[in-house]
């Protein structure tokens, strides 16, 4: 009898837990829906569009920086960067020649995020999952407006060349998507000082250049096989 009673109590407790969990999920979904209605989604799109535009310029500089040393760069702690001079010093010590231009672009990137944070409190009332879904939606939308396609359409006449080029384009687009997707998540949630957030963006950019190099190496290997 005691075992039966214990089993009934455990079952009731489990049922109550599931019921509470379901109620919490329904309440959370309802809350997210209400907040989404208050959120100006055009602001999210404009933030992402500006972020991608600035990223393109940042990456253009980084890809031409032949002396960039990622090992030195990644040894810096972003939390310790509290001023523009310190930030520029990190750029210079990492081998970056166009440190002034890069510093200005990353400053604009941080400003873009801070403006969004100030003007869109409803976004920060959404749970993290909903924030990520919204940012991903607009990153994909902006990138799809100008996908990096194949460089040479005539390669379609050569199956091997076209196949390798197609894989290369896919890999480059994936690098681009990851950069902008991860970058928006990081910068929009960065509550540290502006230059500490800037170092985080610099890490993302350097990681992207490595991704693009790997994609190109895979492309060249594909052509030679």
């Amino acid at each position: 009898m005691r075992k039966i009673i214990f089993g009934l109590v455990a079952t009731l407790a489990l049922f109550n837990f599931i019921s509470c969990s379901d109620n919490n999920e329904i309440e959370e979904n309802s809350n997210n829906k209400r907040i989404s209605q208050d959120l100006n989604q055009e602001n999210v799109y404009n933030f992402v569009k500006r972020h991608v535009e600035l990223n393109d310029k940042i990456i253009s500089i980084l890809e031409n920086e032949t002396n960039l040393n990622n090992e030195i760069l990644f040894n810096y702690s972003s939390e310790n960067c509290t001023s523009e001079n310190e930030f520029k010093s990190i750029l210079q010590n990492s081998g970056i020649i166009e440190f002034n231009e890069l510093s200005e672009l990353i400053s604009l990137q941080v400003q873009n995020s801070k403006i969004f944070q100030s003007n869109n409190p409803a976004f920060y009332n959404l749970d993290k999952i909903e924030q990520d879904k919204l940012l991903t939606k607009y990153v994909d939308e902006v990138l799809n407006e100008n996908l990096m396609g194949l460089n040479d359409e005539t390669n379609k006449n050569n199956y091997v060349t076209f196949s390798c080029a197609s894989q290369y384009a896919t890999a480059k687009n994936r690098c681009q998507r990851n950069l902008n997707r991860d970058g928006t998540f990081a910068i929009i949630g960065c509550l540290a000082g502006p230059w500490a957030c800037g170092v985080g963006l610099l890490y993302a950019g350097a990681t992207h250049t490595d991704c693009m190099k790997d994609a190109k190496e895979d492309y060249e290997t594909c052509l030679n096989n």
Side-chain angles (χ1 to χ4, degrees):
M1 176 64 73
R2 292 173 61 187
K3 289 184 178 179
I4 294 173
I5 293 173
F6 177 78
L8 288 172
V9 171
T11 301
L12 288 171
L14 179 60
F15 177 79
N16 185 58
F17 173 77
I18 294 172
S19 177
C20 290
S21 297
D22 288 343
N23 288 337
N24 287 339
E25 186 174 344
I26 291 171
E27 184 178 344
E28 189 172 283
N29 288 337
S30 176
N31 186 50
N32 282 326
K33 185 176 181 180
R34 178 182 57 78
I35 294 169
S36 295
Q37 291 173 346
D38 295 335
L39 177 64
N40 185 337
Q41 296 204 17
E42 185 178 356
N43 287 351
V44 183
Y45 170 82
N46 288 334
F47 159 74
V48 170
K49 185 174 178 64
R50 179 62 171 158
H51 181 89
V52 172
E53 289 172 351
L54 290 169
N55 262 349
D56 287 345
K57 295 178 180 179
I58 290 169
I59 292 306
S60 178
I61 290 177
L62 289 176
E63 287 179 342
N64 291 317
E65 291 288 344
T66 56
N67 293 324
L68 172 60
N69 189 317
N70 284 354
E71 289 186 13
I72 294 176
L73 173 62
F74 291 145
N75 280 332
Y76 285 99
S77 174
S78 60
E79 291 81 5
N80 295 332
C81 186
T82 59
S83 71
E84 183 177 5
N85 286 337
E86 288 178 356
F87 185 75
K88 287 184 178 181
S89 178
I90 291 174
L91 299 182
Q92 285 181 285
N93 292 338
S94 301
I96 294 174
I97 304 301
E98 294 188 56
F99 60 89
N100 282 320
E101 294 83 349
L102 191 54
S103 176
E104 182 178 348
L105 286 169
I106 290 181
S107 175
L108 291 173
Q109 193 75 287
V110 174
Q111 288 176 34
N112 183 42
S113 171
K114 294 302 181 185
I115 291 171
F116 181 84
Q117 290 174 6
S118 299
N119 294 340
N120 299 278
F123 177 85
Y124 292 92
N125 290 327
L126 292 169
D127 64 39
K128 185 67 166 57
I129 293 175
E130 290 303 312
Q131 289 180 8
D132 289 357
K133 284 181 181 177
L134 201 55
L135 290 175
T136 299
K137 170 187 173 183
Y138 286 119
V139 165
D140 287 341
E141 186 173 316
V142 171
L143 292 180
N144 285 337
E145 292 170 2
N146 188 26
L147 278 174
M148 291 184 292
L150 305 182
N151 292 326
D152 185 3
E153 289 296 320
T154 61
N155 285 334
K156 290 184 178 180
N157 296 324
N158 182 318
Y159 176 76
V160 174
T161 302
F162 177 70
S163 177
C164 293
S166 179
Q167 293 176 39
Y168 183 35
T170 298
K172 289 195 297 180
N173 288 330
R174 187 180 298 116
C175 291
Q176 185 81 339
R177 183 179 190 265
N178 289 342
L179 167 69
N180 288 290
R181 184 172 170 272
D182 296 344
T184 55
F185 295 164
I187 193 66
I188 213 166
C190 183
L191 300 177
W195 297 108
C197 296
V199 173
L201 284 173
L202 191 60
Y203 291 166
T207 300
H208 172 76
T209 58
D210 284 343
C211 181
M212 294 293 277
K213 287 176 184 176
D214 289 342
K216 187 173 184 180
E217 287 176 4
D218 290 343
Y219 170 63
E220 292 172 347
T221 300
C222 179
L223 289 176
N224 294 326
N225 285 340

